[in-house]
Amino acid sequence: MTARMTARTTVTTPTREGSAPVTASRVLVLNSGSSSVKYQLLDMADRSRLAVGLVERIGEETSRLVHERLVGADGAAGAGGDKRERLGPIADHEAALGAVAQELAADGMGLDSPELAAVGHRVVHGGTRFTQPTVVDDEVLAEIRSLVPLAPLHNPANVTGIEVARRLRADVPQVAVFDTAFHSTMPEYVARYAIDAATADKYSIRRYGFHGTSHAYVSRATAALLGKPVEDVNVIVLHLGNGASASAVRGGVCVETSMGLTPLEGLVMGTRSGDLDPAVVFHLARVGGLSVDEIDSLLNKKSGLLGMCGDNDMREVLRRAGEGDEAAATAFASYVHRLKKYIGAYSAVLGRVDAVTFTAGVGENAHQVREAAVDGLAELGLALDLEANAVRSPEPRLVSAEYARVAVAVVPTDEELEIATQAYALVTQ
Ligand code: AMP
């Protein structure tokens, strides 16, 4: 698996003729959305972050770029950052990346630098074709484009990001890292829906899974936290952000995940319903008279915590539930109940579980969610150290009771570092 790539060879790039080659160890990570670009520049020599930033509301009058330099003027990591904001219209992704390049250049880390080894792109859908990080050429780009019907909201923006970055630095490898790739190891009987096989094949209907870079990073970090080789560890990863997914990872290999053809399946999320009887869709169409697009929007954007109680931010849900708000309490209870079901199901799938790991915005920060999800699961070997669980920390940590058979861990996810690691390993192998 890509997750195991640990190549540490350095790339050397010739500079101008006659001058000494430069060690290229920087990777620019781009996460291009339809109206935003998130970026990070990392130095893979020591895995340090040099700069992070975000361009949002691309194409509007009120575009905004926030850029933060994370190294001192002398290049020393942690030597005091510098945050800058730029307001005003940014017409398209080309202009957005141009503005990012200017900000990086102002910090002495321009994209024209020979130190840039690769650009790593988050690509949401790799279909069944892309199961590894891949250097993008014309053919690969065409194939990513051909997957747009499977991810109509995400893949077009990812393609645009790659095209623009390619124009900016045609000589530097552009590496696509796919959100679906880590899940490609799921057995066929897990990936298939129990529907007519010919229809499924005709329309590429199967379970792909998402958040793969996070599940890969966090499952590996969990093994490190336990002090064991990744091959020896079975872990249930609960990625609980605004989108949320669970995965069952056996010895570093994903065997099951909760998201499916799209990110709609599985857990209760901020605005998505997760699992529901597919007949709800027919009922809404036949009885409610809703169009397919209206149902799509209802289930993806107006369901989950938001649909149930009017708030998708777990902090608000917790605050309201604490004040006795019934809708918020029910939404919280549904969220936690679904989590418990997946922990139970994935315990059965794995047979032996070494750890359950919480990650992403809710998983890392909401001790109440962790406490409620694990409560009553002693028969599965799960018990918390409530004091340890209540402590906020940016570090990976164990929060299980000492006597518990299964470790419960909190591991901050780092998708950008994972993308940079995979991209760098590919160009230096
Ligand atoms: P992510 O998608 O990983 O950025 O996670 C975003 C979600 O994390 C938001 O919807 C918040 O509900 C949740 N979140 C962030 N901080 C906290 C916190 N301190 N307590 C509970 N939830 C939080």
Side-chain angles (χ1 to χ4, degrees), residues 330-352:
T330 304
F332 178 78
S334 283
Y335 186 97
V336 166
H337 177 70
R338 189 79 54 88
L339 271 176
K340 272 183 198 282
K341 288 211 294 191
Y342 272 88
I343 293 171
Y346 287 4
S347 296
V349 165
L350 288 171
R352 187 201 83 224

Side-chain angles (χ1 to χ4, degrees), residues 381-394:
L382 292 157
L384 285 183
D385 174 335
L386 293 181
E387 236 171 79
N389 184 50
V391 174
R392 288 278 291 276
S393 162

Side-chain angles (χ1 to χ4, degrees), residues 239-243 312-315 318 360-362 365-366 368 392:
H239 176 110
L240 311 178
N242 197 27
N312 67 314
D313 191 317
M314 184 56 83
R315 285 165 288 204
L318 285 166
V362 174
N365 296 302
Q368 304 92 328
R392 288 278 291 276

Side-chain angles (χ1 to χ4, degrees), residues 69-388:
R69 187 189 73 202
L70 297 173
V71 291
D74 60 354
D82 170 26
K83 201 167 182 171
R84 303 192 291 272
E85 188 180 39
R86 222 204 240 195
L87 301 170
I90 294 178
D92 52 25
H93 284 71
E94 186 109 38
L97 224 55
V100 171
Q102 277 178 14
E103 293 298 331
L104 288 168
D107 288 339
M109 302 186 282
L111 294 184
D112 54 352
S113 164
E115 289 172 77
L116 190 66
V119 181
H121 296 266
R122 178 187 181 212
V123 178
V124 166
H125 218 305
T128 48
R129 161 73 175 81
F130 296 109
T131 59
Q132 300 286 339
T134 305
V135 174
V136 178
D137 57 18
D138 290 340
E139 183 230 341
V140 168
L141 200 56
E143 292 200 49
I144 296 174
R145 239 186 243 115
S146 77
L147 295 166
V148 163
L150 287 172
L153 296 179
H154 296 104
N155 271 33
N158 302 156
V159 167
T160 305
I162 295 171
E163 286 173 334
V164 173
R166 259 179 128 193
R167 282 198 287 274
L168 217 58
R169 275 302 295 270
D171 59 322
V172 165
Q174 308 289 324
V175 179
V177 177
F178 299 89
D179 245 23
T180 46
F182 184 62
H183 306 300
S184 64
T185 48
M186 289 193 295
E188 190 64 8
Y189 60 84
V190 174
R192 281 201 171 263
Y193 289 106
I195 62 171
D196 172 66
T199 306
D201 291 343
K202 183 173 177 189
Y203 297 108
S204 305
I205 296 172
R206 58 191 282 120
R207 307 187 56 248
Y208 295 97
F210 299 88
H211 293 144
T213 48
S214 178
H215 287 282
Y217 175 85
V218 170
S219 52
R220 231 175 35 249
T222 302
L225 187 64
L226 297 180
K228 292 184 179 169
V230 71
E231 292 78 10
D232 294 348
V233 175
N234 292 353
V235 53
I236 298 172
V237 177
L238 302 170
H239 176 110
L240 311 178
N242 197 27
S245 61
S247 69
V249 183
R250 178 180 288 129
V253 176
C254 179
V255 293
E256 169 70 291
T257 195
S258 60
M259 284 178 167
L261 175 73
T262 77
L264 184 54
E265 190 178 345
L267 300 174
V268 176
M269 310 183 209
T271 66
R272 298 189 197 117
S273 63
D275 296 336
L276 80 173
D277 182 345
V280 170
V281 176
F282 321 142
H283 189 79
L284 284 169
R286 291 187 189 125
V287 180
L290 273 70
S291 70
V292 169
D293 286 343
E294 284 168 338
I295 299 170
D296 188 328
S297 166
L298 179 79
L299 297 180
N300 274 296
K301 297 187 181 151
K302 298 174 209 154
S303 296
L305 294 173
L306 180 71
M308 291 187 77
C309 77
D311 272 306
N312 67 314
D313 191 317
M314 184 56 83
R315 285 165 288 204
E316 258 325 276
V317 176
L318 285 166
R319 188 191 60 74
R320 285 175 47 197
E323 288 172 357
D325 182 311
E326 214 170 295
T330 304
F332 178 78
S334 283
Y335 186 97
V336 166
H337 177 70
R338 189 79 54 88
L339 271 176
K340 272 183 198 282
K341 288 211 294 191
Y342 272 88
I343 293 171
Y346 287 4
S347 296
V349 165
L350 288 171
R352 187 201 83 224
V353 181
D354 298 297
V356 173
T357 303
F358 289 84
T359 191
V362 174
E364 291 165 28
N365 296 302
H367 65 91
Q368 304 92 328
V369 170
R370 297 193 297 264
E371 186 177 334
V374 169
D375 185 45
L377 300 187
E379 285 294 322
L380 296 180
L382 292 157
L384 285 183
D385 174 335
L386 293 181
E387 236 171 79

